[in-house]
Amino acid sequence: METTVNQDTHLYPKVQIFSDLEALSAAAAEFIATISRKVTESTGNFSMALSGGVTPRPLYALFGSTLYRERIDWKRVRIFWTDERCVPPDHPESNYKLAFDSFLSRVSIPPNNIHRIKGEASADQAARAYERDIRLFLGGPAFPIFDLIILGVGEDGHTASLFPASGAAKERVRVVAPVYLEPPKLNRVTLTLPTLNNAVQILFLVSGKSKQNVIKEIVEQGNPHHYPAGLVQPRQGYSMWFLDNDAANLLTQNNYR
Ligand code: 6PG
């Protein structure tokens, strides 16, 4: 049974807690189908940025299932990514490959609606090309406005590829930034915090006991370590956190009432 544990979004991010990742993913699919229909009805299309990692995989599998292949009007959806590793699109670490194999290869989405980050280029070249691509479709000299951005959280409080104390996490001018990591870690490309905070809707998906401490700090203690995930607070949009019981294990619900 889902529990909505708080209403005061100005005090705490809005949180929903689910029994497990399967229930969380089913709720996320419904949430996204609902807002994509509403946005498409009013603007004609729906821009959604996907994160990588393990947590969103059941959601992406649902997108590719018979239920959501029809439920979502994929011809009107523009797909972007929150971040990407600097690898070719067929590399096992590619976030594009994850989404393509899970659902993009199964739904009727026009190829031109898929805005892949060209991870085969250098991090800076890929970042600049992706920023141009985003601006071409989401316009504006200012920061682009995504209808929905799906995010995860690392145990260290990172989100997208905005790692604590990194240059990319401090970037406040560029829409997209390169991320340089020590080998064997792969360099990356990421949306920057001001871009994330310009979204209409942010949806965090967080599962597992390994995230319980960072969730406690961000959701309930005001993010004392200034984790990048906790700095995602849309200026004029909304932020929703979908947690499973394990990730929410340390939350004391009376904080929300
Ligand atoms: C990525 C993601 C990254 C991810 C977190 C959580 O490209 O890896 O954008 O920010 O969301 O690392 O990953 P898990 O879902 O695997 O815990």
Side-chain angles (χ1 to χ4, degrees):
M1 205 285 266
E2 288 70 46
T3 316
T4 299
V5 291
N6 74 61
Q7 307 301 332
D8 299 329
T9 46
H10 67 290
L11 285 179
Y12 301 97
K14 197 161 178 56
V15 171
Q16 288 199 28
I17 298 174
F18 301 90
S19 51
D20 55 25
L21 180 56
E22 184 183 357
L24 181 157
S25 305
E30 275 303 307
F31 180 82
I32 293 166
T34 302
I35 58 173
S36 66
R37 180 177 47 75
K38 285 180 184 167
V39 172
T40 303
E41 280 168 1
S42 66
T43 68
N45 54 46
F46 178 68
S47 55
M48 172 164 68
L50 306 174
S51 71
V54 172
T55 306
R57 292 182 183 179
L59 170 64
Y60 298 165
L62 282 172
F63 283 159
S65 70
T66 46
L67 179 57
Y68 289 95
R69 270 209 297 270
E70 310 308 325
R71 278 285 306 281
I72 294 175
D73 184 0
W74 292 100
K75 293 185 297 305
R76 304 274 191 182
V77 177
R78 285 202 176 279
I79 293 284
F80 298 83
W81 277 263
T82 60
D83 59 328
E84 183 58 279
R85 290 119 169 96
C86 289
V87 293
D90 59 353
H91 189 284
E93 287 279 319
S94 162
N95 288 344
Y96 164 83
K97 178 174 168 43
L98 166 64
F100 185 81
D101 293 348
S102 304
F103 72 100
L104 289 176
S105 53
R106 303 162 185 263
V107 299
S108 54
I109 184 168
N112 289 344
N113 284 25
I114 299 174
H115 301 272
R116 182 176 72 85
I117 301 172
K118 308 286 188 292
E120 59 274 28
S122 75
D124 193 59
Q125 286 171 334
R128 293 186 190 286
Y130 187 44
E131 180 159 338
R132 285 195 299 275
D133 190 25
I134 291 172
R135 286 193 184 286
L136 199 59
F137 289 94
L138 298 187
F143 285 93
I145 300 173
F146 285 91
D147 292 314
L148 173 66
I149 298 180
I150 298 171
L151 290 171
V153 183
E155 294 173 31
D156 63 355
H158 81 261
T159 193
S161 288
L162 301 175
F163 295 96
S166 68
K170 298 186 186 103
E171 177 60 53
R172 295 294 180 270
V173 175
R174 293 175 72 169
V175 171
V176 184
V179 181
Y180 301 102
L181 298 173
E182 286 302 312
K185 287 183 181 174
L186 296 162
N187 288 342
R188 299 189 180 194
V189 173
T190 186
L191 296 182
T192 58
L193 191 63
T195 304
L196 300 181
N197 281 336
N198 219 36
V200 174
Q201 179 72 56
I202 296 282
L203 178 60
F204 278 101
L205 308 179
V206 191
S207 166
K209 272 232 170 50
S210 68
K211 312 292 176 73
Q212 66 178 6
N213 294 311
V214 71
I215 288 299
K216 172 81 172 178
E217 286 200 40
I218 291 174
V219 169
E220 203 161 83
Q221 296 176 341
N223 194 27
H225 290 104
H226 309 292
Y227 295 130
L231 299 178
V232 177
Q233 298 166 4
R235 289 181 313 109
Q236 293 174 325
Y238 302 89
S239 183
M240 174 72 86
W241 291 68
F242 278 14
L243 313 176
D244 69 3
N245 278 334
D246 283 345
N249 185 44
L250 298 180
L251 295 186
T252 49
Q253 287 187 11
N254 54 13
N255 277 40
Y256 300 102
R257 298 204 184 287

